[in-house]
């Protein structure tokens, strides 16, 4: 699981979002409680302007860790980018 995260992170850092998504999706399937994995995957979708997918992942991360204000910020940002102002 850690290897998937690290490989995805390296690809994301290299702006290879499509391949990073593959690793982070696999991580999310193997460890659905991985908050950071969901955040990383959501950020990859966000870079690809796939805002509904990103929002769904951020929403799940908020459910897993409601105390994490950074995740709430990311969720608000993706709603703004998707022009979903009432969310």
């Amino acid at each position: 699981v850690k290897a998937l995260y690290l490989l995805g992170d390296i690809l994301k850092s290299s702006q290879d979002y499509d391949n990073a998504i593959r690793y982070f999706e696999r991580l999310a399937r193997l460890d659905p409680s991985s908050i950071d994995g969901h955040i990383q995957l959501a950020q990859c979708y966000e870079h690809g302007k796939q805002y509904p997918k990103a929002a769904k992942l951020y929403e799940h991360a908020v459910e897993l860790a409601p105390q994490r204000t950074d995740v709430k910020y990311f969720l608000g940002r993706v709603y703004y980018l998707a022009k979903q102002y009432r969310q």
Side-chain angles (χ1 to χ4, degrees):
V1 172
K2 185 170 180 144
L4 291 172
Y5 182 87
L6 292 173
L7 287 167
D9 191 44
I10 290 168
L11 291 165
K12 182 178 167 241
S13 296
S14 301
Q15 298 181 350
D16 187 355
Y17 300 113
D18 291 335
N19 284 316
I21 285 171
R22 290 188 343 196
Y23 285 98
F24 290 129
E25 282 180 339
R26 207 163 148 209
L27 172 62
R29 280 193 305 274
L30 292 174
D31 185 6
S33 64
S34 172
I35 297 162
D36 291 323
H38 281 81
I39 291 169
Q40 292 280 20
L41 179 55
Q43 288 174 346
C44 289
Y45 282 133
E46 195 174 334
H47 280 283
K49 298 184 185 204
Q50 297 181 52
Y51 302 128
K53 287 183 178 182
K56 185 175 178 181
L57 288 160
Y58 287 137
E59 289 166 357
H60 184 64
V62 167
E63 289 174 11
L64 292 173
Q67 73 282 6
R68 295 241 343 229
T69 56
D70 61 331
V71 181
K72 292 176 183 178
Y73 167 78
F74 296 146
L75 179 58
R77 182 182 64 201
V78 84
Y79 283 151
Y80 175 79
L81 292 170
K83 297 182 172 89
Q84 294 180 351
Y85 304 119
R86 293 184 184 250
Q87 296 290 353

